[in-house]
């Protein structure tokens, strides 16, 4: 039980520190001292600082994808599905601010950055989730065929920007704000 407590404490401490100052700016020493454990404890549970980051993202993306999967069962009504999906994404981000900040900071790193390789497979899983959603809508919305990838990426860009605004208190998370965001995404400038 003590091992699990230390493991959780390390993960939570690292999430908070990495989100606040950036992964590269926080050293192992600071993580273990703040968590109140030793370096060997970190190495035992995670192998390295990168292993710790990987564990954070593994848990984060598993939860996020489960939440999105529960919220977005496509039943032929794309507008309804999009509202449910956007609400779930933003609600999850609001409830997991540290990991969401960290996710966004790491998502937009240059691919050549050493840490980018840690988040890339998780980011690709999230992108594929959105591609699959648009692919499922193709039978009712044939105009989406062949555009699933760009639609997924553009939706993620809109959502990620909105997450930053939400977490920084610039926009609220309300039914009205979700509806406005979804309509803006789906119909563009013609609905303003």
């Amino acid at each position: 039980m003590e091992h699990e407590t230390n493991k959780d404490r390390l993960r939570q401490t690292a999430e908070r520190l990495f989100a606040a100052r950036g992964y590269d700016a926080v050293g192992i020493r600071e993580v273990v001292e703040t968590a109140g454990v030793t370096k060997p404890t970190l190495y035992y549970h995670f192998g390295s600082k990168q292993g710790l980051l990987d564990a954070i993202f593994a848990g984060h993306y598993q939860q996020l994808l489960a939440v999105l999967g529960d919220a977005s069962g496509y039943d032929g009504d794309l507008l309804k599905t999009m509202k449910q999906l956007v609400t779930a994404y933003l609600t999850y981000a609001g409830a997991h601010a540290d990991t969401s900040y960290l996710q966004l900071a790491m998502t937009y790193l240059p691919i050549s950055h050493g840490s980018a390789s840690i988040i890339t497979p998780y980011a690709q899983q999230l992108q594929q989730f959105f591609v699959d959603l648009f692919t499922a809508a193709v039978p009712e919305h044939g105009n989406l065929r062949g555009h699933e990838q760009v639609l997924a990426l553009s939706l993620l860009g809109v959502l990620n920007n909105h997450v930053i605004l939400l977490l920084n208190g610039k926009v609220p998370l309300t039914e009205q704000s979700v509806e406005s965001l979804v309509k803006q995404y789906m119909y563009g400038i013609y609905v303003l």
Side-chain angles (χ1 to χ4, degrees):
M1 188 64 156
E2 180 66 25
H3 288 295
E4 195 59 39
T5 302
N6 287 340
K7 186 175 183 180
D8 291 340
R9 192 174 329 127
L10 278 164
R11 189 177 9 240
Q12 291 166 2
T13 299
E15 281 179 23
R16 190 174 64 252
L17 292 171
F18 294 163
R21 295 206 340 271
Y23 172 76
D24 290 332
V26 177
I28 289 175
R29 175 185 223 157
E30 183 178 1
V31 172
V32 297
E33 287 177 359
T34 304
V37 300
T38 62
K39 283 184 183 181
T41 303
L42 184 143
Y43 295 130
Y44 173 77
H45 289 296
F46 302 105
S48 66
K49 182 180 166 189
Q50 286 188 330
L52 176 57
L53 182 63
D54 187 61
I56 289 168
F57 282 140
H60 170 68
Y61 278 92
Q62 182 181 15
Q63 288 177 356
L64 176 58
L65 289 169
V67 165
L68 295 178
D70 290 344
S72 67
Y74 181 70
D75 63 0
D77 186 343
L78 188 56
L79 183 60
K80 180 181 101 178
T81 300
M82 292 291 287
K83 287 178 188 177
Q84 291 170 339
L85 184 68
V86 167
T87 299
Y89 195 88
L90 297 177
T91 300
Y92 182 88
H96 301 88
D98 285 341
T99 346
S100 295
Y101 274 123
L102 183 58
Q103 169 194 340
L104 295 177
M106 302 287 297
T107 295
Y108 295 106
L109 284 174
I111 198 70
S112 60
H113 192 281
S115 303
S117 64
I118 297 170
I119 194 169
T120 297
Y122 299 111
Q124 288 172 340
Q125 288 176 17
L126 184 59
Q127 290 169 11
Q128 190 59 50
F129 175 88
F130 285 96
V131 168
D132 293 345
L133 170 71
F134 287 111
T135 300
V138 165
E140 287 86 18
H141 304 277
N143 60 317
L144 303 180
R145 182 174 282 109
H147 304 286
E148 298 91 343
Q149 182 75 27
V150 72
L151 291 169
L153 293 174
S154 62
L155 179 57
L156 270 170
V158 168
L159 287 174
N160 288 341
N161 184 66
H162 209 78
V163 165
I164 291 293
L165 295 172
L166 178 70
L167 293 178
N168 288 331
K170 305 281 187 194
V171 296
L173 176 55
T174 63
E175 190 174 322
Q176 169 95 23
S177 68
V178 167
E179 183 157 340
S180 177
L181 178 67
V182 169
K183 285 184 176 179
Q184 179 65 40
Y185 172 77
M186 291 182 70
Y187 305 114
I189 63 172
Y190 299 105
V191 297
L192 297 175

